[in-house]
Amino acid sequence: MFSAHLINEPSGDPGVYVKFKYRNEALLFDLGELHLLAPRQILRANHIFISHTHMDHFIGFDHLLRICLGRDMRLSLFGPPGFTKNVEGKLAAYTWNLVRNYTNDFIIRVVEIDEAQRLETRYSCRGEFRAEGTAVEQLRNPLVDEKRFTVRAAFLDHKVPSLAFAMKEKTQINIMKNALDQMGLAPGNWLVRLKDDIREGKGADFPVEARLKDGSSRTVPLGEFKKLVRMTPGQKVSYIADAVYSADNARKIVTLAEGSDMLFIEAPFLEEDADIAAAKYHLTARQAGRLAREAGVKEIRIFHLSPKYKGRERLLMDEAAEAFTGSSLR
Ligand SMILES: [Zn+2]
């Protein structure tokens, strides 16, 4: 379970904040202006995914850097070709002679991807943010495969490569408190291991060391815990930033976003300005709505609305909603 929202107004800088429920963990898609996020929200985001480094998608990096300085932090940033140079350019803009005095270390892991490979470089605050070696590997997609979620990327065309992302939670395993009590079991760390065993697909005979209420423990086959757990399929959120409307992009967007619970998609222009959208390598609201419909998403949120429609944003929302629900097709 997570909540996801646009950081700014739909006509403001792009950026989506995804917070995992019941966990002190979040992730960010794009780094536009970030001032509407509280520092404590920013400090939770340990995975950040950048579509491309046009200024409106990356200007928030400095704000992020400032908030993280002096903290004990590990931050992973993912971005398109050229991303490492962009981050290094930002880091090179400041003088770091005093950072050795920090007792905490803030470490940035930059992962630059293209369709074939990933380049990973590490920078540490106490090391004055000098590159500490680059590892080149074949691309892995999902880019991130954590215990609780994966993040996959698609490579879109925005005249420059522009990455789109989809975060999918893995199936959630919840312990039913009543059943735990009825079975005479005690809460504790053994339940964390039990969840891991289920996630890893261990068989019904697999021996589990269970803790009983009286403080003793007993070895029980995994199959006997069926009544104790409830499995909830994970949710999916997709983020489609700048992209031109082309057959190739459309196919990649639909594939990536398929079945999302929530789709954030750019929709800068009205269909009547489709020629401007095409010239600027952006989508129209109708195209965004149609793509969402084709991908079978549950909810759509449009963003990156052009300032051209100031005061008339409703038109873009309506056009996207009509194409999404299919009411414009009737
Ligand atoms: Zn943009």
Side-chain angles (χ1 to χ4, degrees):
M1 298 282 281
F2 59 81
S3 60
H5 71 270
L6 287 171
I7 296 164
N8 300 300
E9 292 283 291
S11 49
D13 280 359
V16 165
Y17 185 77
V18 182
K19 160 82 173 72
F20 292 97
K21 280 187 183 156
Y22 317 117
R23 301 182 56 75
N24 197 28
E25 202 180 341
L27 49 87
L28 276 164
F29 294 124
D30 272 345
L31 287 176
E33 187 61 67
L34 291 183
H35 287 88
L36 291 179
L37 289 177
R40 68 181 154 76
Q41 289 178 297
I42 293 175
L43 289 169
R44 275 191 202 122
N46 40 24
H47 288 94
I48 299 178
F49 302 88
I50 305 295
S51 61
H52 62 300
T53 48
H54 282 158
M55 201 172 191
D56 49 339
H57 298 254
F58 200 47
I59 196 162
F61 180 85
D62 284 27
H63 185 73
L64 169 89
L65 185 63
R66 185 165 204 187
I67 283 173
C68 295
L69 268 190
R71 308 258 180 179
D72 195 17
M73 285 269 302
R74 303 277 177 284
L75 198 62
S76 298
L77 285 161
F78 297 80
F83 187 56
T84 312
K85 273 233 153 7
N86 293 138
V87 174
E88 286 184 353
K90 289 269 198 187
L91 294 170
Y94 301 101
T95 308
W96 299 112
N97 64 315
L98 300 176
V99 289
R100 286 193 175 278
N101 301 335
Y102 285 128
T103 45
N104 291 326
D105 208 0
F106 164 39
I107 291 166
I108 306 178
R109 183 170 73 110
V110 173
V111 182
E112 172 180 326
I113 58 168
D114 63 29
E115 291 182 60
Q117 58 187 10
R118 53 182 277 154
L119 264 81
E120 183 172 328
T121 314
R122 186 182 182 275
Y123 307 83
S124 83
C125 176
R126 295 185 67 195
E128 300 179 4
F129 293 115
R130 276 189 288 266
E132 293 169 16
T134 297
V136 184
E137 280 177 43
Q138 217 182 342
L139 178 72
R140 296 193 295 267
N141 205 3
L143 308 178
V144 173
D145 189 353
E146 295 273 302
K147 202 163 163 181
R148 286 177 180 79
F149 65 91
T150 59
V151 177
R152 183 173 282 281
F155 295 81
L156 304 180
D157 177 18
H158 176 52
K159 217 167 202 169
V160 293
S162 175
L163 302 179
F165 302 101
M167 188 280 285
K168 171 105 177 76
E169 286 177 302
K170 295 183 180 174
T171 299
Q172 305 290 297
I173 303 168
N174 298 306
I175 304 292
M176 309 304 288
K177 289 267 152 56
N178 295 348
L180 190 74
D181 206 47
Q182 280 163 20
M183 291 168 78
L185 299 165
N189 266 340
W190 73 276
L191 290 170
V192 178
R193 287 192 295 274
L194 173 71
K195 288 184 186 181
D196 286 345
D197 293 337
I198 295 170
R199 238 178 245 121
E200 287 161 17
K202 300 263 166 67
D205 296 335
F206 184 79
V208 175
E209 178 114 334
R211 243 178 90 82
L212 307 184
K213 272 193 210 161
D214 63 11
S216 66
S217 40
R218 191 157 64 94
T219 305
V220 181
L222 182 63
E224 288 189 23
F225 293 108
K226 253 193 189 148
K227 265 192 286 179
L228 188 65
V229 294
R230 192 177 58 197
M231 315 275 274
T232 318
Q235 292 182 299
K236 179 175 175 179
V237 57
S238 300
Y239 178 82
I240 314 292
D242 306 10
V244 70
Y245 191 83
S246 67
D248 196 38
N249 273 354
R251 181 181 52 79
K252 289 175 179 171
I253 291 169
V254 170
T255 305
L256 182 80
E258 192 165 20
S260 293
D261 294 275
M262 177 84 89
L263 168 67
F264 293 90
I265 185 165
E266 73 143 9
F269 296 99
L270 285 172
E271 189 65 24
E272 66 185 32
D273 295 319
D275 52 336
I276 306 177
K280 297 192 167 184
Y281 276 67
H282 282 294
L283 300 177
T284 68
R286 183 174 297 167
Q287 289 160 352
R290 273 195 195 144
L291 290 167
R293 182 181 170 79
E294 270 178 59
V297 310
K298 292 204 181 91
E299 266 185 73
I300 173 178
R301 294 268 188 288
I302 60 165
F303 65 96
H304 217 345
L305 315 185
S306 163
K308 179 179 164 65
Y309 308 102
K310 199 168 168 50
R312 298 187 295 142
E313 291 85 354
R314 199 68 262 165
L315 295 177
L316 290 154
M317 309 267 181
D318 289 348
E319 184 173 289
E322 276 173 20
F324 176 49
T325 58
S327 57
S328 62
L329 305 175
R330 282 199 286 268

